[in-house]
Amino acid sequence: MLVVEDEESIADVLAIALRYHRFEVMTAGTVREALALTEHTSPDCALLDVMLPDGDGRALGRELRGRRPQTALVFLTARDAPAEIVGALGFGDDYITKPFNIDEVVARITAVLRRTRPADVLPQRAPLRHGDLELDETTYSVRRAGRSVELTPTEYALLRFLVRNAGRIVPKEQLLRHVWQYEHAPQESTVVETYISYLRRKLDTLGPPLITTRRGVGYGLT
């Protein structure tokens, strides 16, 4: 996996998240660095910022694909104008606009690789389980009591964090940092409460209530 992003803090976050999901990651901040890195290696997928200090990420994508036609290309762009989107999708496999949710980035890359590459390219992870709940971190799928549950990327990220911390109450502030990357969220923010209600609506129809609330503190799994 090649990540080309000139903002070092963003590149670090992307690399950490992708390595956590068992991708092998190389990072570069310029077109020149990326071409040097791939002189003797062939990444299965490249995540490319469109605007780089020494060139255009789309031109870099064309160069990488010219060297290895099966390379999957995903573009990062701060622009969401139709012309930018069309340009990114003209020969790429997907695009992501900034600011982005890191779990969505991982999910979109996994989906692109699933469409374009053999199954053995995807990193394999053992499912997360809690009671009759199962989360597959390779396919980003969720099942409860053997039945599939359709979740959005943010809903999935929230539920996964709760499962990983099962048996304890997770403070709201911690959820905001790890799921939404909010370092200083407004005290009156209701985004956590909103998404907890979405999860309850989808999960509680398949069995006993799973998510418990500790008022004024946070949430956990029973």
Side-chain angles (χ1 to χ4, degrees), residues 18 37-38 50 53 88 126-127 129-130 141 143 158 160 212 217 220:
L18 289 164
L37 276 176
T38 55
V50 169
R129 292 187 174 89
H130 178 76
S141 60
R143 299 179 70 83
L158 175 58
R160 180 179 61 186
T212 186
V217 181

Side-chain angles (χ1 to χ4, degrees), residues 2-222:
L2 173 65
V3 175
V4 186
E5 166 60 60
D6 62 310
E7 292 189 44
E8 189 174 348
S9 60
I10 295 178
D12 287 345
V13 167
L14 290 167
I16 289 169
L18 289 164
R19 286 179 182 129
Y20 179 81
H21 288 273
R22 300 188 181 182
F23 286 91
E24 294 182 9
V25 182
M26 303 182 295
T27 61
T30 64
V31 171
R32 186 174 182 177
E33 289 175 5
L35 292 175
L37 276 176
T38 55
E39 189 68 37
H40 303 292
T41 60
S42 300
D44 293 296
C45 181
L47 180 63
L48 309 174
D49 190 3
V50 169
M51 299 181 66
L52 294 166
D54 59 342
D56 189 310
R58 290 164 296 190
L60 172 60
R62 291 188 185 93
E63 175 71 20
L64 294 176
R65 187 159 278 177
R67 294 181 179 182
R68 188 170 185 265
Q70 62 267 44
T71 301
L73 300 176
V74 180
F75 293 101
L76 285 171
T77 176
R79 304 172 180 173
D80 59 1
E84 286 289 325
I85 295 170
V86 170
L89 289 177
F91 63 95
D93 299 291
D94 204 350
Y95 77 97
I96 299 165
T97 57
K98 298 178 181 179
F100 52 76
N101 178 290
I102 192 65
D103 286 291
E104 181 182 0
V105 173
V106 176
R108 301 270 286 269
I109 288 172
T110 303
V112 164
L113 286 172
R114 193 178 297 118
R115 293 197 310 266
T116 62
R117 303 290 292 139
D120 59 4
V121 168
L122 294 171
Q124 302 297 312
R125 297 178 65 87
L128 288 175
R129 292 187 174 89
H130 178 76
D132 62 357
L133 186 68
E134 180 180 297
L135 283 73
D136 189 320
E137 295 192 277
T138 300
T139 62
Y140 285 81
S141 60
V142 177
R143 299 179 70 83
R144 186 176 188 196
R147 296 176 62 184
S148 180
V149 182
E150 294 295 326
L151 300 182
T152 67
T154 302
E155 290 167 352
Y156 179 90
L158 175 58
L159 181 61
R160 180 179 61 186
F161 196 74
L162 290 174
V163 170
R164 287 178 177 166
N165 290 275
R168 61 181 288 258
I169 297 296
V170 183
K172 176 180 173 181
E173 293 74 16
Q174 191 174 355
L175 292 171
L176 286 168
R177 284 197 305 271
H178 285 270
V179 178
W180 284 272
Q181 286 81 52
Y182 289 170
E183 288 298 330
H184 304 288
Q187 290 297 313
E188 65 275 12
S189 173
T190 61
V191 66
V192 176
E193 290 83 351
T194 300
Y195 275 85
I196 288 290
S197 70
Y198 293 161
L199 286 178
R200 283 176 168 151
R201 194 178 306 157
K202 294 181 178 182
L203 295 172
D204 292 356
T205 60
L206 302 176
L210 274 176
I211 302 173
T212 186
T213 301
R214 182 73 58 84
R215 293 195 179 278
V217 181
Y219 302 88
L221 293 184
T222 56

